[in-house]
Amino acid sequence: MLKTQDFEPVFFAPFVSSTMEVKRDWTDYNGHLNVAYYSLLFDRAFDEVLDLLGLGPSLARLRGSSFFTVETHTRYLRELAVGAPVRVTVRLVDYDDKRLHVFETLHHGTEGWVSATLEQVALHVDLDSRRAEAMPDDVVERAAAMRVAHAALARPDGIGRAIGMPQRC
């Protein structure tokens, strides 16, 4: 059985996800996309990236390993309403043998404005032991190619931000 992808992906800079749509049951009592569903949209886009790297949902069980999110920072910048088309751009900021650091931006799908950003670190994990382990060589090679493609991109607005409430004068 095939344990890797049978094609070499092309890494656009940045990666652009499939178009998704805000569903009615994803909205809250404020009439906009609920905070939990921003995470869902970002997660679906990240899964598409992992597919290109050779270890997404379609290969995780087969290969016995996957990525677990270990840290995120989300900024909510503009509301999304029911029916809004959305796309997520994903930039691979950095990687090592066990981790991926990405920055994702959620855009209105036709108007292009930014609704939210998510900075994320994901850890490669053996699904049996549930412990971190080095990524397979082919995944590292693809991460390297993606990182090269994304290296020319401008530093994303909001990357590396800390959360806090500065004192007002």
Side-chain angles (χ1 to χ4, degrees):
M1 188 176 261
L2 185 66
K3 289 195 135 207
T4 61
Q5 289 179 330
D6 59 355
F7 67 92
E8 283 301 315
V10 174
F11 295 109
F12 295 99
F15 169 83
V16 180
S17 76
S18 301
T19 301
M20 299 172 273
E21 182 180 311
V22 174
K23 308 294 182 200
R24 178 163 304 286
D25 60 343
W26 294 359
T27 60
D28 60 21
Y29 54 88
N30 293 313
H32 59 210
L33 185 63
N34 179 278
V35 71
Y37 293 98
Y38 281 89
S39 294
L40 175 72
L41 292 166
F42 283 124
D43 193 50
R44 287 182 176 175
F46 187 54
D47 281 347
E48 290 182 25
V49 168
L50 293 179
D51 273 336
L52 285 177
L53 292 176
L55 199 53
S58 61
L59 288 172
R61 291 233 186 278
L62 179 66
R63 296 185 85 169
S65 64
S66 188
F67 286 93
F68 290 8
T69 297
V70 294
E71 185 172 353
T72 65
H73 181 117
T74 306
R75 295 183 313 144
Y76 305 96
L77 305 171
R78 191 164 169 185
E79 296 175 297
L80 287 166
V82 172
V86 295
R87 293 190 90 152
V88 177
T89 57
V90 182
R91 175 186 177 163
L92 179 61
V93 177
D94 206 358
Y95 73 96
D96 62 21
D97 66 326
K98 295 180 184 175
R99 299 172 298 175
L100 299 174
H101 177 194
V102 298
F103 191 87
E104 301 182 53
T105 305
L106 179 63
H107 300 265
H108 188 278
T110 56
E111 298 174 15
W113 46 264
V114 175
S115 175
T117 66
L118 174 94
E119 187 171 4
Q120 172 181 358
V121 174
L123 183 65
H124 182 254
V125 174
D126 178 281
L127 291 175
D128 290 328
S129 71
R130 311 304 267 192
R131 299 184 61 81
E133 70 174 12
M135 293 181 271
D137 290 342
D138 64 302
V139 176
V140 173
E141 289 171 15
R142 287 183 173 159
M146 182 179 235
R147 176 67 183 100
V148 167
H150 292 187
L153 295 170
R155 182 173 172 82
D157 180 40
I159 194 169
R161 289 188 50 173
I163 191 169
M165 290 180 53
Q167 294 297 317
R168 293 185 181 181
C169 297

